[in-house]
Amino acid sequence: MANEVNDLFLLIESKRNDFTSVEQVIADYFIAKRKILSISDLAKEIIVSAPSITRFCKKLGLNNYKELIFLYSLSLRDQTVDASMISTPVTASYHALATRSDASYRSQAVTNFCDLIYTTKIILFWGLGFNSFAGQDFTFKFSRFGKFIQVYGDQHSILLSAASASADNLILISSLSAKDPNILKAIKLGKENGAHFLLITANEDSPFIDYCEETIYAASFSPDEALGSVSPQVPILIQLDIIYSKYVSLHKDNVDKWLLSENILKN
């Protein structure tokens, strides 16, 4: 194998920032340590194409899917009882985040989010740093419903998009802290142009809130979690999954479009 890293899980995480949204789905399958499948069966299981899986292997520095499975088998075998010293605290952090997310759930706020998404064709997703990765996940989910979504991940492009925003634009802001003065400036400019705003944040005192039609509160990190044991976008991703699940439940008339997109992905 061309790559010197002999732990598939470390190899995947080292390349995580370079993955497309489809490759993120493939990566998550292996990170979850699920069963070994043939390339065709895996493609059907996670609804991606076999060529996408081959490209994923190449991006990892492997020659083909056979090499990936060989390395995956070795990596699984190397997992020992000692791994619980690491995995247990991390798993506990994820469980705690999920619990806090459940405690902050507001059904009407999620419904309002879904209704605005449903009635809007063009959606802009603003998120700095790791939040932009969450934007890719949002794009992967909602583009299936015929939404045109553009992710903006830096202050300059966010300000430019605010300057050209219009009344038929919905802007979803993802920010745990939600206090960046440059983003606030962009929000005010977008509001002047008639754009509508939604916010996902962990900051209940955010100055952004007054300018948004609706706000959903994500779980905030504990001091230990903030040190980096949990990926920063996880609280946002949990809320996006909640929104997506609610959307599918509320707007079943869009399921036909969703099924069509699934068939395109399969092929």
Side-chain angles (χ1 to χ4, degrees):
M1 285 174 281
N3 206 299
E4 294 181 359
V5 178
N6 59 8
D7 186 314
L8 181 65
F9 308 120
L10 290 178
L11 181 57
I12 287 174
E13 293 304 339
S14 71
K15 303 287 186 180
R16 177 72 78 167
N17 291 350
D18 299 326
F19 292 157
T20 65
S21 56
V22 172
E23 289 164 349
Q24 296 283 2
V25 173
I26 301 169
D28 289 343
Y29 181 91
F30 290 103
I31 290 296
K33 301 176 185 175
R34 298 176 63 183
K35 64 182 178 179
I36 295 174
L37 299 174
S38 67
I39 190 169
S40 58
D41 287 342
L42 177 59
K44 293 177 183 178
E45 177 72 17
I46 59 177
I47 318 176
V48 303
S49 67
S52 293
I53 298 174
T54 300
R55 287 192 292 271
F56 175 76
C57 297
K58 298 288 187 182
K59 188 166 284 189
L60 292 178
L62 306 174
N63 291 318
N64 48 48
Y65 184 68
K66 183 178 179 180
E67 284 194 359
L68 183 145
I69 291 302
F70 177 74
L71 184 55
Y72 184 49
S73 299
L74 288 178
S75 301
L76 287 174
R77 191 169 61 193
D78 287 342
Q79 299 294 306
T80 66
V81 176
D82 290 339
S84 65
M85 296 176 65
I86 295 175
S87 66
T88 299
V90 172
T91 302
S93 294
Y94 273 79
H95 185 271
L97 281 171
T99 300
R100 294 199 295 274
S101 298
D102 190 55
S104 65
Y105 176 75
R106 295 182 300 133
S107 179
Q108 189 57 54
V110 177
T111 297
N112 293 342
F113 253 68
C114 293
D115 288 346
L116 273 170
I117 291 171
Y118 181 72
T119 57
T120 308
K121 182 75 172 179
I122 301 173
I123 303 173
L124 312 184
F125 191 105
W126 291 0
L128 299 177
F130 282 102
N131 288 286
S132 64
F133 300 148
Q136 298 301 323
D137 181 73
F138 179 82
T139 302
F140 182 73
K141 286 182 169 68
F142 282 93
S143 59
R144 302 177 180 188
F145 295 105
K147 305 299 178 182
F148 177 81
I149 302 162
Q150 181 66 51
V151 178
Y152 296 90
D154 64 87
Q155 293 171 340
H156 183 66
S157 62
I158 286 173
L159 191 57
L160 284 175
S161 70
S164 60
S166 62
D168 61 349
N169 291 163
L170 175 63
I171 300 175
L172 199 166
I173 306 168
S174 170
S175 174
L176 290 179
S177 61
K179 58 184 180 182
D180 187 294
N182 292 309
I183 303 302
L184 182 58
K185 178 182 177 181
I187 293 172
K188 291 178 179 179
L189 179 57
K191 289 297 285 187
E192 289 175 3
N193 290 332
H196 304 279
F197 284 85
L198 297 173
L199 173 64
I200 302 176
T201 183
N203 181 8
E204 296 186 14
D205 298 317
S206 167
F208 298 3
I209 295 172
D210 291 339
Y211 299 91
C212 297
E213 275 78 357
E214 188 59 83
T215 299
I216 286 179
Y217 295 104
S220 57
F221 283 115
S222 69
D224 288 341
E225 292 161 352
L227 292 175
S229 60
V230 177
S231 298
Q233 68 268 38
V234 168
I236 299 294
L237 290 173
I238 290 173
Q239 297 305 321
L240 290 178
D241 283 343
I242 290 173
I243 294 165
Y244 179 74
S245 296
K246 186 74 168 180
Y247 188 93
V248 172
S249 173
L250 287 173
H251 302 293
K252 293 184 174 63
D253 56 325
N254 248 10
V255 170
D256 287 343
K257 289 183 180 178
W258 176 74
L259 290 174
L260 177 61
S261 69
E262 294 298 299
N263 288 329
I264 292 173
L265 288 171
K266 286 179 181 178
N267 296 324

